């Protein structure tokens, strides 16, 4: 017995001397602790292995991430078991899958020596405890379903954190989308003050390099949408890791990365990521299979992207045109506007699809299409008529605000739909109490700019309702808003007394002349002064405004040489007309012709000086751009209509010539008042 005890003690002492191992925990950059055994002398270990065979003693040396249990027994005969346990990494990083059963090494010994080594599995009491306390991985969807607030998600993390941490941020953003604005603000304050929030952020930074790339992008998107400042270490770290791993981007990741870039504010790291994203798109554009992903990428590529890349994306979209759904066709307008690329082929084809499926089209889609057409300067008369016809046909189910917004967009495009504007006027007359100050200003601007009230049946009733509605807000309206409203009334040749009297007060005029937009205000005040003098304003004739002098209207840089050539050949020489004539009230006309009162004979300017003014009919020839007319018609817009009205008041007969490159047809112009006058 004493020999056995002595042998055991000697063997134990030799084990501790000959195998000097130190178990160290190496802290990796992600903050994960990995156990490591440092073997200092492998020659000694080999000698020790040989000695074990010769002395008929069993030794088991543990390597790498294994450690010895303290209750392991050593025997010189029979079967001895030694249990090795792996050390679980902290923070639940990626690792090879481990069963709950740990490896057991069984050595079968007899007196003749080492015979057989058997491997089997056995569950120890410590393994069961580890399995019970180890948290199960939970998805972001399950978290968002089980939790009702952002704090609930953080409580779940603090109680039993699981890998990856991105699931917690994604779940919090999913919950935040369900909340109202007030609830969202309150929950965000609680989130920032939660004791587990900083720990979750640290976990996210440590895991950024090992989680799947799509989860990294999901978490970055959720973090930004949750309102975490972009200049924080968390966001900037995730941005840098996203840049480093951008080559892992597949088609799904391209879509998510596009959304991430869309919601982020400009900074150096975002700019670098944007450049990398463009290079990646240029390489992978032909591999994109999903049309929705293609449109998301196109929308995110940026207005300042290289034109070659824009054209490549356009060609890819044209190749996928047959696969476009109705939603894809509707979204294409917004996508092209976001990248500032006017592809007429794509726009025309998508316009046809939109018109063929116009019934049931939501107001949001119509508004987005019109806004995109404005940004792209895409003027499709068939598309505008189709959209306006649909709104007019379903007018009773539309809210006033939505119709007004559509009319404003039509006005920006220069498009005037008579039927829709008449229906809107009728509703305003029937329900004037629905108007607020913002609506009043928008309606007045739209109708005056498109010159719609001219020759309308209910013109007077509509203008009276609008003037009455504006009068109700005179006690609270600002000076500039009042000037805008009165200016619109001037364009429509209507002069309500109460708004004019308030605007013409000295303190209001003084405020307008000292504001930041003084030049714009002075211009409108001069037009107001001109209207008071030239239009039929019985009660306001005696009012005189003291205003700064306006600069003269500059003549065109190319003074319509072709028009002058045509007029010269038509009238018999340049002596029968005058160029670039400046008139009172800062008006300018391109050409002036003088005729007899019956407009049968053109008078040379040398004979006009001796003729009586009553025997002369002055003719003003205006070269007008297409933008001065409503789209697709010869109906003049507001400012041109007012100028024609004022020229008539000054004794001119007005003739309009379109400023187009082709002017040869002007030789066949008929000087008939019905064809050329308003």
């Amino acid at each position: 017995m004493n020999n056995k005890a002595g042998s055991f003690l000697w063997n134990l002492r030799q084990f501790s001397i000959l195998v000097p191992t130190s178990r160290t925990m190496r802290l990796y950059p992600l903050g994960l602790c990995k156990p490591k055994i440092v073997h200092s002398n492998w020659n000694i270990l080999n000698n020790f292995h040989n000695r074990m065979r010769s002395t008929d003693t069993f030794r088991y040396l543990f390597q790498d991430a294994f450690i010895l249990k303290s209750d392991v027994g050593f025997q010189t005969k029979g079967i001895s078991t030694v249990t090795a346990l792996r050390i679980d990494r902290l923070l639940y990083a990626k690792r090879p899958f481990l069963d709950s059963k740990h490896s057991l090494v069984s050595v079968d010994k007899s007196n003749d020596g080492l015979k057989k080594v058997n491997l089997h599995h056995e569950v120890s009491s410590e393994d069961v405890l580890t399995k019970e306390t180890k948290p199960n991985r939970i998805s972001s969807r399950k978290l968002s379903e089980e939790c009702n607030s952002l704090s609930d998600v953080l409580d779940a993390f603090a109680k039993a954190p699981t890998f990856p941490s991105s699931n917690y941020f994604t779940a919090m953003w999913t919950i935040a989308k369900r909340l109202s604005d007030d609830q969202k603000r309150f929950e965000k304050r609680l989130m920032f003050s939660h004791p587990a929030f900083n720990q979750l952020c640290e976990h996210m930074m440590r895991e950024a390099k090992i989680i799947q790339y799509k989860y990294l992008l999901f978490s970055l998107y959720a973090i930004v949408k949750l309102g975490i400042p972009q200049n924080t270490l968390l966001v900037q770290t995730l941005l840098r890791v996203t840049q480093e791993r951008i080559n892992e981007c597949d088609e799904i990741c391209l879509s998510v990365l596009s959304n991430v870039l869309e919601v982020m504010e400009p900074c150096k790291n975002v700019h670098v990521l944007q450049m990398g994203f463009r290079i990646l798109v240029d390489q992978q554009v032909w591999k994109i299979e999903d049309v929705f992903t293609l449109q998301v990428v196109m929308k995110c590529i940026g207005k300042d992207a290289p034109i070659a890349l824009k054209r490549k994306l356009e060609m890819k979209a044209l190749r996928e045109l047959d696969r476009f759904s109705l939603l894809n066709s509707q979204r294409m307008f917004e996508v092209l506007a976001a990248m500032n690329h006017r592809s007429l082929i794509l726009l025309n084809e998508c316009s046809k699809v939109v018109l063929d499926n116009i019934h049931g089209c939501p107001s949001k889609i119509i508004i987005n299409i019109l806004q995109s057409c404005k940004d792209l300067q895409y003027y499709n008369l068939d598309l505008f008529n189709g959209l306006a016809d649909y709104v007019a046909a379903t007018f009773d189910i539309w809210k006033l605000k939505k119709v007004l917004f559509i009319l404003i967009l039509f006005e920006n495009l220069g498009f005037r739909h008579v039927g829709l504007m008449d229906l809107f006027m009728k509703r305003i007359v029937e329900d004037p109490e629905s108007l607020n100050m913002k609506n009043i200003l928008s309606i007045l601007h739209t109708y005056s700019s498109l010159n719609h009230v001219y020759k309308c049946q209910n013109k007077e009733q509509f203008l009276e309702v609008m003037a009455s509605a504006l009068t109700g807000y005179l006690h609270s309206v600002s000076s500039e808003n009042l000037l805008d409203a009165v200016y619109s009334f001037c364009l429509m040749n209507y002069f309500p007394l109460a708004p004019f009297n308030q605007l013409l007060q000295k303190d209001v005029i003084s405020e307008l002349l000292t504001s930041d937009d003084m030049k714009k205000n002075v211009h409108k005040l001069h037009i107001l002064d001109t209207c008071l003098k030239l239009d039929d304003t019985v009660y306001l004739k005696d009012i005189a405004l003291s205003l700064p002098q306006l600069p003269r209207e500059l003549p065109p840089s190319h003074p319509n040489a072709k028009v002058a050539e045509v007029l010269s050949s038509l009238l018999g020489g340049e002596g029968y007309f005058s160029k670039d004539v400046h008139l009172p009230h800062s008006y300018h006309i391109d050409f002036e012709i003088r005729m007899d009162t019956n407009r049968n004979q053109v008078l040379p300017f040398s004979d006009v000086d001796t003729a009586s003014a009553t025997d002369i009919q002055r003719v003003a020839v205006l070269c007008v751009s297409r933008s001065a007319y409503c789209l697709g018609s010869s109906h003049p817009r507001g400012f041109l209509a007012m100028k024609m009205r004022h020229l008539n008041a000054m004794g001119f007969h007005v003739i309009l010539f379109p400023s187009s490159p082709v002017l040869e047809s002007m030789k066949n112009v008929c000087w008939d008042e019905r064809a050329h006058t308003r």
Side-chain angles (χ1 to χ4, degrees), residues 309-335:
L309 179 57
K310 292 182 180 180
R311 288 175 178 170
K312 185 180 289 189
L313 289 167
E314 177 189 2
M315 293 301 298
K316 174 63 176 178
L318 288 173
R319 288 177 58 177
E320 303 293 335
L321 197 58
D322 294 338
R323 297 174 53 210
F324 273 26
S325 64
L326 173 60
L327 183 59
N328 293 139
S329 299
Q330 292 170 341
R331 293 187 72 248
M332 202 67 220
F333 293 87
E334 185 179 0
V335 168

Side-chain angles (χ1 to χ4, degrees), residues 171-194:
M172 284 194 290
W173 170 237
T174 303
I175 294 172
K177 289 190 292 185
R178 302 196 298 252
L179 304 176
S180 64
D181 292 339
D182 293 337
Q183 289 176 323
K184 197 178 297 183
R185 283 191 292 268
F186 178 72
E187 285 293 333
K188 286 181 180 180
R189 287 198 297 268
L190 294 180
M191 177 189 72
F192 287 121
S193 61
H194 197 283

Side-chain angles (χ1 to χ4, degrees), residues 564-565 567-568 571 573-579 591-593 605:
E565 181 182 349
L567 287 176
S568 179
L571 301 177
E574 293 186 359
Y576 288 90
F577 61 90
S578 177
K579 303 177 184 177
F591 301 95
E592 179 185 356
I593 302 173
F605 271 71

Side-chain angles (χ1 to χ4, degrees), residues 255-521:
S255 178
V256 182
L257 182 56
S258 300
N259 290 323
V260 169
L261 290 171
E262 189 174 356
V263 300
M264 299 204 73
E265 299 175 357
C267 70
K268 289 185 178 180
N269 278 329
V270 172
H271 178 70
V272 173
L273 185 59
Q274 177 83 24
M275 295 300 103
F277 173 75
R278 290 177 180 175
I279 295 173
L280 189 67
V281 170
D282 187 63
Q283 295 173 350
Q284 299 188 8
V285 59
W286 304 115
K287 300 178 183 179
I288 299 176
E289 297 181 357
D290 185 64
V291 176
F292 178 79
T293 302
L294 176 63
Q295 290 186 325
V296 171
V297 170
M298 292 174 68
K299 187 176 180 181
C300 178
I301 204 66
K303 295 184 178 181
D304 57 340
I307 188 64
L309 179 57
K310 292 182 180 180
R311 288 175 178 170
K312 185 180 289 189
L313 289 167
E314 177 189 2
M315 293 301 298
K316 174 63 176 178
L318 288 173
R319 288 177 58 177
E320 303 293 335
L321 197 58
D322 294 338
R323 297 174 53 210
F324 273 26
S325 64
L326 173 60
L327 183 59
N328 293 139
S329 299
Q330 292 170 341
R331 293 187 72 248
M332 202 67 220
F333 293 87
E334 185 179 0
V335 168
L336 291 173
M339 62 188 297
N340 192 28
H341 185 68
R342 184 173 60 178
S343 172
L344 294 180
I345 300 177
L346 277 174
L347 291 170
N348 290 338
E349 293 299 321
C350 291
S351 297
K352 295 176 183 178
V353 176
V354 170
L355 291 178
D356 292 340
N357 301 272
I358 189 61
H359 295 288
C361 186
S363 60
K364 183 179 180 181
I365 297 295
I366 294 177
I367 291 172
N368 286 340
I369 290 175
L370 293 176
Q371 182 64 50
S372 302
C373 290
K374 172 183 174 294
D375 296 339
L376 293 170
Q377 297 182 0
Y378 174 66
Y379 303 100
N380 188 329
L381 195 58
D382 293 335
L383 175 64
F384 299 160
N385 275 319
L387 294 176
D389 288 340
Y390 170 70
V391 176
T394 58
F395 187 80
D396 292 336
I397 65 174
W398 286 74
K399 293 183 179 179
L400 178 72
K401 182 179 179 181
K402 295 289 186 181
V403 180
L404 177 57
F405 198 17
I406 290 174
L407 288 177
I408 292 172
L409 291 172
F410 277 143
E411 185 275 329
N412 291 333
L413 293 163
F415 176 70
R416 170 177 172 260
H417 190 273
V418 178
L420 181 58
M421 298 190 76
D422 286 344
L423 285 173
F424 190 80
M425 287 176 63
K426 183 178 179 181
R427 178 179 287 190
I428 294 300
V429 172
E430 293 175 352
D431 187 20
E433 296 180 357
S434 61
L435 298 176
N436 55 36
M437 190 62 213
K438 186 177 180 180
N439 291 344
I440 293 171
L441 293 174
S442 299
I443 294 170
L444 289 175
H445 171 74
T446 301
Y447 278 77
S448 63
S449 175
L450 295 176
N451 188 31
H452 181 71
V453 296
Y454 172 69
K455 290 186 178 179
C456 287
Q457 293 181 353
N458 55 347
K459 168 186 174 181
E460 294 297 330
Q461 191 176 5
F462 170 75
L463 292 175
E464 288 175 3
V465 168
M466 296 303 300
S468 176
L470 176 62
T471 303
Y473 286 95
L474 289 180
H475 64 282
S476 59
V477 66
S478 66
S479 299
E480 291 189 353
N481 286 341
L482 179 60
L483 177 60
D484 291 338
V486 170
Y487 173 78
S488 298
F489 278 123
C490 288
L491 292 181
M492 293 185 286
N493 196 21
Y494 187 74
F495 306 94
L497 192 58
F500 270 80
N501 285 336
Q502 178 160 330
L503 177 65
L504 296 175
Q505 293 178 5
K506 291 184 178 180
D507 56 339
V508 176
I509 297 295
S510 176
E511 182 180 350
L512 291 171
L513 295 179
T514 56
S515 67
D516 296 334
D517 293 331
M518 186 193 71
K519 291 184 178 180
K520 182 186 74 173
N521 294 339

Side-chain angles (χ1 to χ4, degrees), residues 19 85 136 144 176 291 354 441 512 646 651:
V19 192
L85 297 177
N136 295 324
S144 62
V291 176
V354 170
L441 293 174
L512 291 171
H646 289 169

